[in-house]
Amino acid sequence: MTSIGGAEMVDWNLAVATATRLVRPGPEVTRDEARAVVAELRRHARTSEEHVRAFTRMMPEGLTLPDTPVLVVDRAGWVKANVAGFRELLGPLLGKMQDRRAGAPGGAVLGAVGGKVTGVELGVLLSFLASRVLGQYETFAPGAPELPGAGPTGGRLLLVAPNIVHVERELEVAPHDFRLWVCLHEETHRTQFTAVPWLRAHLEGEIQTFLGATEMDPSTILERLREAVQSFSGGRPEGERGDEGRSLVELVQTPEQREILSRLTAVMSLLEGHADFVMDGVGPDVVPSVAEIREKFQQRRAAGAGRLDAALRKLLGLDAKLRQYRDGERFVRAVVGQVGMDGFNRVWTSPNTLPTKAEIARPADWVARVHGRGSAGSEER
């Protein structure tokens, strides 16, 4: 990445150091208990692959999915992996912004100071998220000194052991069942990207186009951020509250970015909803207490963890992610109900068969467009 006076736009090492210093410690476990959790999660990841393949029928008989690493990590390991991913994905955008700032008066000083400030801010956000993520399929995953690189498809699967143990204790559910249930969800994401060769490149293209449409004028970006902060603090003048309640991500968009984000939201709703649908579809056969786990986990999702947690979730747009699980799962369930699993799998044919944001809310419209049949007259609930 281009640098100004040796300084990057983001001090990535400081981001890692800040996040690992601030992240809360995980639940207390003995060394033997920790080893047992890691071993069981690895076993569940392997067995989940077979269950997901059989249920989704996303791979033709006799073909083998490309291999991707499965890593069981702690909270610090999750932070390091995600910083590496951010650095890879945001590199082109940050390089452009840095080149633009290089010609400005005091650019070298801004580079040195701003990179550290941004590094601290990113570290604070990651410390918040690091104690909440149970698992993650890293679609854009470069190698890191502490972590193996991605497989041939560019991804790797992370399972965050202390968070899984924390939630299973909080919900008072059977540990064996809960760990397998989580693995089924994350394995579905791995299957989505390994069985659909074009999906990763399509998403990366959309994200890079989104980032490329970012307004590069620093004064404009600062003004958008100021408005965002005011909207959440109640500091905007009376009569100027049209953006209140929107996330920080939404508030810094250009019109072009809003169109891209609409497409990305539809894809992410599909991926998350499909994973929830598969997790619950496989569950009854292999997870005896799946109904209890689902009920308690849904209640936990809805409740959050206090006012500060709720405020941060809204600011970061995490409330939108919860809607993606709900709306996407409803879409998948409705389509499978109308055209069966093989009919639903036509969604993976090409970018043109992905649902739009409107079709996520109206599954019958997608069926009519892709299958040429069905009613598009009523919204699915």
Side-chain angles (χ1 to χ4, degrees):
M1 188 183 301
T2 310
S3 64
I4 301 175
E8 294 183 348
M9 288 282 292
V10 179
D11 188 329
W12 300 105
N13 291 333
L14 184 57
V16 171
T18 301
T20 52
R21 183 174 68 252
L22 295 179
V23 71
R24 292 180 295 180
E28 292 187 6
V29 294
T30 67
R31 189 178 297 273
D32 288 342
E33 287 174 330
R35 288 199 188 99
V37 170
V38 171
E40 183 170 28
L41 287 173
R42 291 189 187 281
R43 289 196 304 271
H44 285 333
R46 288 194 298 270
T47 58
S48 293
E49 184 176 358
E50 300 173 6
H51 294 311
V52 170
R53 285 193 202 184
F55 184 81
T56 64
R57 302 201 291 274
M58 290 181 66
M59 285 295 292
E61 193 70 29
L63 292 184
T64 302
L65 287 174
D67 189 31
T68 55
V70 177
L71 307 177
V72 181
V73 299
D74 58 11
R75 290 171 177 175
W78 180 87
V79 167
K80 292 171 184 174
N82 276 268
V83 166
F86 283 142
R87 189 170 188 170
E88 178 87 358
L89 194 61
L90 297 179
L93 170 65
L94 296 182
K96 290 178 183 177
M97 294 183 71
Q98 203 148 4
D99 289 342
R100 184 180 182 91
R101 194 172 61 184
V109 175
L110 286 173
V113 176
K116 293 190 179 300
V117 171
T118 307
V120 170
E121 292 172 341
L122 178 59
V124 171
L125 293 180
L126 288 173
S127 71
F128 170 77
L129 296 172
S131 61
R132 287 159 173 76
V133 176
L134 301 181
Q136 173 185 356
Y137 182 77
E138 279 196 293
T139 313
F140 313 103
E146 303 85 356
L147 296 167
T153 59
R156 64 186 167 207
L157 181 62
L158 303 181
L159 298 169
V160 191
N163 295 349
I164 293 173
V165 172
H166 171 77
V167 174
E168 70 191 26
R169 290 179 178 179
E170 179 184 307
L171 298 182
E172 298 181 335
V173 293
H176 173 85
D177 287 3
F178 184 74
R179 294 167 193 175
L180 178 55
W181 189 71
V182 171
C183 287
L184 287 170
H185 182 101
E186 302 308 329
E187 178 57 41
T188 303
H189 286 317
R190 184 165 68 153
T191 298
Q192 289 163 349
F193 284 93
T194 52
V196 184
W198 54 264
L199 184 57
R200 179 181 183 273
H202 172 70
L203 269 183
E204 184 174 21
E206 291 278 66
I207 292 170
Q208 291 300 337
T209 304
F210 179 89
L211 296 176
T214 299
E215 295 175 355
M216 307 304 291
D217 181 0
S219 64
T220 301
I221 295 175
L222 288 175
E223 178 65 19
R224 291 289 187 93
L225 291 175
R226 182 185 67 80
E227 292 176 0
V229 171
Q230 287 181 339
S231 74
F232 284 102
S233 65
R236 298 193 67 179
E238 194 67 31
E240 295 185 15
R241 298 184 179 273
D243 287 330
E244 188 168 326
R246 296 166 66 190
S247 73
L248 184 60
V249 171
E250 291 174 307
L251 288 170
V252 297
Q253 289 174 46
T254 65
E256 181 184 358
Q257 285 176 306
R258 292 191 186 100
E259 294 181 8
I260 301 169
L261 188 64
S262 177
R263 297 196 298 268
L264 284 171
T265 299
V267 175
M268 297 311 297
S269 296
L270 169 69
L271 298 179
E272 296 293 359
H274 182 234
D276 267 10
F277 177 78
V278 172
M279 180 169 59
D280 289 344
V282 174
D285 291 332
V286 298
V287 182
S289 59
V290 64
E292 177 191 3
I293 291 173
R294 164 58 75 186
E295 180 180 1
K296 290 183 175 180
F297 195 75
Q298 292 286 56
Q299 291 172 353
R300 183 180 186 273
R301 272 182 181 172
R307 294 180 62 186
L308 176 61
D309 183 87
L312 285 171
R313 294 175 73 90
K314 181 178 289 293
L315 183 65
L316 297 174
L318 298 182
D319 285 343
K321 186 172 180 63
L322 296 184
R323 290 194 298 272
Q324 287 171 7
Y325 286 104
R326 182 194 64 217
D327 297 344
E329 194 273 342
R330 188 171 54 195
F331 169 84
V332 175
R333 187 173 300 280
V335 171
V336 172
Q338 290 184 57
V339 296
M341 184 64 74
D342 291 333
F344 165 79
N345 281 339
R346 288 183 62 178
V347 78
W348 313 116
T349 304
S350 75
N352 292 330
T353 56
L354 291 172
T356 64
K357 189 175 179 181
E359 287 171 341
I360 289 290
R362 298 172 63 92
D365 287 1
W366 181 88
V367 173
R369 177 171 67 87
V370 174
H371 288 269
R373 62 186 180 89
S375 170
S378 61
E379 181 175 353
E380 298 291 336
R381 296 292 179 187

